[in-house]
Amino acid sequence: MYLKIDDLSGPQVAELVREHLQSMVLQSPPESMHALGLESLKKPEITFWSAWEGDELVGCGALKELDSQHGEIKSMRTSSFHRRKGVAKGVLQHIIEEAKRRGYQKLSLETGSMDAFEPARKLYIGFGFQYCEPFSDYVEDSNNVFMTKKL
């Protein structure tokens, strides 16, 4: 698997982001959904990576700079055809390494509190993330949990 910074212009990437958004709509109430669409992911403070095996898109993830010391993980997604193959671990490791390279002191994320998000929460805990209070512009919400990792 290799990752590359992506401009989100390719049809495979657009489809994976669409799949991600559709899944979030099905699992989260609208007021609790913080997934980003294509245009929002193109903002200058966000770096988006696509993950590939040959010419097949297997996953994606993004890093949003909140400030010079703090980053946020966004849009982590494994293609439904490539689950349980280590894609998410590889993307997450890449994002953590990039956050360290940038000199961030902390990396945070928001994810769902429902059962469907348990695999994601276990992944983040396995990488040393801990539950925390809402950060940035987030507010307390029973449908979401917030996690952070000191780098």
Side-chain angles (χ1 to χ4, degrees):
M1 180 176 77
Y2 69 95
L3 280 84
K4 67 178 184 177
I5 292 177
D6 201 297
D7 66 4
L8 297 118
S9 64
Q12 288 177 292
V13 171
E15 176 59 25
L16 185 59
V17 171
R18 187 200 62 72
E19 176 186 318
H20 179 61
L21 286 173
Q22 183 178 24
S23 174
M24 296 303 102
V25 165
L26 294 174
Q27 298 174 36
S28 302
E31 67 276 7
S32 300
M33 192 185 91
H34 302 287
L36 301 176
L38 284 174
E39 289 309 310
S40 296
L41 287 167
K42 293 179 182 179
K43 291 184 177 178
E45 66 270 17
I46 297 177
T47 305
F48 181 91
W49 290 273
S50 53
W52 300 83
E53 285 183 358
D55 61 354
E56 191 169 358
L57 180 64
V58 297
C60 64
L63 177 58
K64 178 179 181 180
E65 182 168 299
L66 299 176
D67 62 44
S68 64
Q69 303 291 307
H70 191 187
E72 179 184 2
I73 296 171
K74 298 295 292 181
S75 301
M76 285 278 301
R77 183 69 179 190
T78 299
S79 165
S80 56
F81 302 109
H82 294 281
R83 298 233 168 95
R84 296 176 201 10
K85 295 181 181 179
V87 173
K89 287 180 182 178
V91 172
L92 182 56
Q93 184 62 50
H94 182 84
I95 291 172
I96 292 169
E97 289 170 8
E98 176 63 17
K100 288 178 180 177
R101 189 192 68 73
R102 292 181 183 186
Y104 294 167
Q105 300 300 308
K106 185 166 49 169
L107 189 57
S108 301
L109 62 95
E110 169 274 328
T111 191
S113 62
M114 294 75 87
D115 289 345
F117 295 94
E118 184 177 354
R121 294 190 305 268
K122 284 183 177 180
L123 172 70
Y124 297 128
I125 289 169
F127 274 81
F129 284 83
Q130 299 179 340
Y131 292 101
C132 66
E133 296 298 315
F135 59 93
S136 187
D137 297 331
Y138 294 108
V139 295
E140 194 71 38
D141 181 338
S142 64
N143 295 305
N144 299 330
V145 296
F146 306 93
M147 304 179 84
T148 195
K149 174 184 176 73
K150 292 186 183 198
L151 301 176

